[in-house]
Amino acid sequence: MSFFDLVIGNIISLLQATTLNILMVAIFLKWRFLWDKKHIGRMIFIIMSIILFESIIGTIFYQTGVFHWKYNIGKNITGYMLCTGTMLILRQLYRKTLQNCWMAAILLFMIDSLTNELIESVSPNMFFHLDVLSERIAYMVYLYGLYPAIELLVIFLLNKTNVGKLVRHWIDYADLHLKSVLFLSFYPALTTGILALLNLGDKIGNRASLIILIMLFSFYIFYTYMWREELQQQKLNVQQISLHQQRAYIENLENLQKEMRRFRHDYKNMMSGMYFQAKEGNFKAIQDFIQDMTDEFDSQVGKQIQVLTQLCNIHMPEVKGLLLSKLETMEREQIHCELEVLYPFHSASIKATDLCRCLGILIDNAIEEVKGKDNPEIHIMVSSQKGHTTFRIKNILYSKVDFHKIWQEGFSTKGADRGIGLTNYKRILERYENISSLTTIHEGYFIQELKIQD
């Protein structure tokens, strides 16, 4: 076959493999497309360029004998090249991080190798003579019908077990486990390397299939262990947050009790004064007295009760702990904060660590803006209803804001070595397709809004 014929054949095969990979990602990882209608032409061009590049390189490797290099080095290079291409295609389609897309690409490679070994174990001597029309047709049926069907069956069976849940967890949270990403990345090299060391060469039989299955089982045990370790760490973190909340509640209740005792003492004195005003029939003075007493109660006790009441509507320990910590900071800085939780908030479809980082950045920026100013004021609103949760942080604006520069790393109106918060905030949001943010200025207030679709 000519070079051009081989390239065309590789393009067809890669298009079929890409389509199958997209289908498997939808079934197994439950990723959804992020279509950008304005740039769909650019997206298709990039994907087709990747496929064309891989097809040409694959043809060159085939004609120059790279696949027959010693110790399966050529096959390793090809395997990692295909995984890289798959990673870039997934990145274009789903807008996930490169790290997550790389893990998904390696996973697809593992499933493909498992499917191939299962078929070779059943029919180790299966060969097709493409010069014969009937065998060429049989090969096409196998390549574009039987093989994808078996691969989808493997995906379906894995998805029905705990493996599917485990894999989705590790791919979605890959940024927290660099070691596990590196470990998984060695799979193609380890597989072909072990086969080469055992002098199996290109012979694929029961021994090779057994090695593949042992390696896959080893990966499964490793990630199961790591997952359980993380779950234990998460439980420990929740316990620590709960202890912090309990300490904060106890301190608030103690302060509330002290304020109530002070108010009780003042209340007796105020009632004595009101008694003499009533005796003289001075109703205007009585009204003013009651108003002053109500305002005094609100300033001493009412605000603390209101904050505790609002916090009771937050049932996500990590977020409640964060808000308690920020409220304590604002109290030390003598910043007035109005917290409003409109409906009970239980959870959101975002990692707790990412949500806390985002909220922490927004609240810290608001604190930095109003700290040390006259009548500093911050409003925090949480609303969870109708399939989405909204967080809104609003503060009085004392400085000019350049919306074109605030997202640039290193830019800050607060001095040097600052300006990384909003950059990190933006990077976190780019990982999620169900989150939108809004930054605006309204009536002298700087408003940051974070909306999460459930």
Side-chain angles (χ1 to χ4, degrees):
M1 297 178 70
S2 66
F3 183 88
F4 179 77
D5 292 335
L6 289 173
V7 170
I8 294 299
N10 285 337
I11 289 176
I12 295 173
S13 297
L14 286 174
L15 282 173
Q16 182 260 348
T18 300
T19 304
L20 185 59
N21 285 339
I22 292 171
L23 186 59
M24 289 194 295
V25 165
I27 296 172
F28 200 45
L29 302 182
K30 303 188 185 303
W31 286 3
R32 295 179 181 178
F33 287 121
L34 280 181
W35 290 111
D36 188 350
K37 294 181 180 179
K38 294 182 180 179
H39 302 95
I40 190 169
R42 174 177 170 272
M43 185 185 301
I44 293 174
F45 174 76
I46 292 174
I47 292 173
M48 291 305 300
S49 297
I50 294 170
I51 291 175
L52 177 61
F53 175 80
E54 289 182 329
S55 300
I56 293 173
I57 296 299
T59 302
I60 294 173
F61 281 4
Y62 175 77
Q63 291 190 334
T64 56
V66 172
F67 294 133
H68 301 290
W69 283 1
K70 195 174 182 180
Y71 304 120
N72 288 331
I73 294 175
K75 290 183 179 180
N76 268 327
I77 295 173
T78 305
Y80 280 108
M81 180 189 71
L82 293 175
C83 287
T84 302
T86 302
M87 174 190 71
L88 296 175
I89 291 173
L90 295 179
R91 168 68 174 171
Q92 285 293 319
L93 292 173
Y94 302 101
R95 298 297 178 186
K96 300 286 186 179
T97 64
L98 287 175
Q99 197 164 266
N100 289 6
C101 293
W102 175 252
M103 289 192 74
I106 296 293
L107 170 70
L108 294 172
F109 184 90
M110 294 172 70
I111 294 173
D112 183 72
S113 66
L114 175 61
T115 303
N116 186 67
E117 297 307 325
L118 290 174
I119 294 175
E120 293 290 347
S121 297
V122 175
S123 303
N125 297 316
M126 182 173 57
F127 295 100
F128 297 95
H129 298 282
L130 300 183
D131 294 335
V132 180
L133 178 61
S134 59
E135 294 204 20
R136 191 186 310 154
I137 294 174
Y139 174 73
M140 298 293 288
V141 171
Y142 163 77
L143 184 62
Y144 298 110
L146 181 61
Y147 192 92
I150 295 175
E151 200 158 15
L152 290 174
L153 178 62
V154 171
I155 283 285
F156 177 79
L157 294 175
L158 291 175
N159 208 27
K160 288 297 182 179
T161 66
N162 195 43
V163 176
K165 184 178 179 181
L166 174 67
V167 169
R168 282 190 293 272
H169 173 85
W170 279 103
I171 289 183
D172 289 339
Y173 297 91
D175 57 307
L176 299 178
H177 306 284
L178 182 58
K179 291 182 180 179
S180 64
V181 176
L182 292 175
F183 182 65
L184 186 67
S185 300
F186 281 116
Y187 174 81
L190 286 173
T191 304
T192 55
I194 290 174
L195 294 178
L197 289 174
L198 293 178
N199 295 321
L200 293 175
D202 293 327
K203 297 178 181 178
I204 305 296
N206 292 330
R207 288 185 298 169
S209 301
L210 181 61
I211 292 170
I212 298 293
L213 292 174
I214 290 174
M215 291 192 63
L216 290 172
F217 186 67
S218 301
F219 275 86
Y220 175 75
I221 292 176
F222 171 77
Y223 283 110
T224 302
Y225 170 77
M226 293 290 288
W227 189 14
R228 289 180 178 175
E229 286 289 312
E230 185 189 346
L231 290 177
Q232 291 178 357
Q233 185 62 43
Q234 288 178 353
K235 290 179 181 178
L236 180 61
N237 292 339
V238 171
Q239 290 174 357
Q240 291 175 346
I241 292 172
S242 298
L243 289 174
H244 173 73
Q245 292 176 13
Q246 290 173 10
R247 285 196 297 268
Y249 273 123
I250 291 172
E251 290 176 2
N252 286 330
L253 290 174
E254 289 176 348
N255 293 332
L256 190 61
Q257 184 185 30
K258 291 177 182 177
E259 295 295 338
M260 288 293 291
R261 290 173 65 183
R262 291 195 192 102
F263 184 77
R264 181 174 177 272
H265 181 269
D266 296 339
Y267 173 76
K268 288 182 178 181
N269 294 331
M270 287 187 289
M271 289 302 294
S272 299
M274 190 171 65
Y275 172 75
F276 289 109
Q277 296 287 352
K279 230 178 156 183
E280 295 177 3
N282 190 348
F283 294 106
K284 179 66 170 61
I286 293 174
Q287 290 176 350
D288 295 339
F289 211 80
I290 292 174
Q291 183 63 46
D292 292 340
M293 186 173 63
T294 303
D295 293 341
E296 186 72 16
F297 178 82
D298 285 339
S299 64
Q300 292 184 7
V301 180
K303 290 180 180 178
Q304 295 185 39
I305 294 176
Q306 183 183 11
V307 169
L308 290 174
T309 302
Q310 297 300 316
L311 284 173
C312 286
N313 277 333
I314 297 179
H315 301 280
M316 191 171 179
E318 296 86 351
V319 174
K320 183 181 287 188
L322 172 74
L323 291 177
L324 275 170
S325 175
K326 298 305 179 184
L327 288 170
E328 291 174 358
T329 301
M330 285 185 271
E331 187 176 357
R332 287 196 303 269
E333 298 291 343
Q334 297 182 340
I335 298 173
H336 173 69
C337 178
E338 288 189 11
L339 175 64
E340 187 178 12
V341 185
L342 300 181
Y343 301 94
F345 168 64
H346 295 275
S347 63
S349 52
I350 177 178
K351 287 191 294 183
T353 52
D354 285 344
L355 178 57
C356 288
R357 287 171 65 190
C358 289
L359 294 179
I361 289 169
L362 299 182
I363 296 174
D364 287 342
N365 285 348
I367 292 174
E368 286 290 329
E369 176 64 22
V370 304
K371 185 170 63 175
K373 304 296 193 303
D374 295 332
N375 301 318
E377 194 175 310
I378 295 175
H379 301 260
I380 301 175
M381 188 274 291
V382 182
S383 175
S384 183
Q385 58 175 331
K386 295 182 180 180
H388 68 269
T389 300
T390 302
F391 298 90
R392 182 182 295 126
I393 292 88
K394 182 171 71 170
N395 62 273
I396 299 176
L397 189 62
Y398 295 93
S399 58
K400 293 183 179 180
V401 175
D402 189 339
F403 283 96
H404 297 288
K405 293 183 178 180
I406 60 174
W407 304 105
Q408 296 178 9
E409 187 169 357
F411 174 79
S412 175
T413 59
K414 306 296 189 302
D417 299 325
R418 310 292 285 274
I420 60 173
L422 286 179
T423 305
N424 290 336
Y425 173 74
K426 186 178 180 181
R427 287 174 180 170
I428 293 170
L429 297 190
E430 287 175 350
R431 303 174 188 171
Y432 298 92
E433 60 187 57
N434 61 320
I435 297 178
S436 60
S437 65
L438 172 69
T439 303
T440 186
I441 297 174
H442 181 67
E443 297 181 351
Y445 284 91
F446 185 73
I447 302 171
Q448 290 269 36
E449 190 173 286
L450 178 67
K451 183 173 289 186
I452 305 171
Q453 295 287 339
D454 294 337

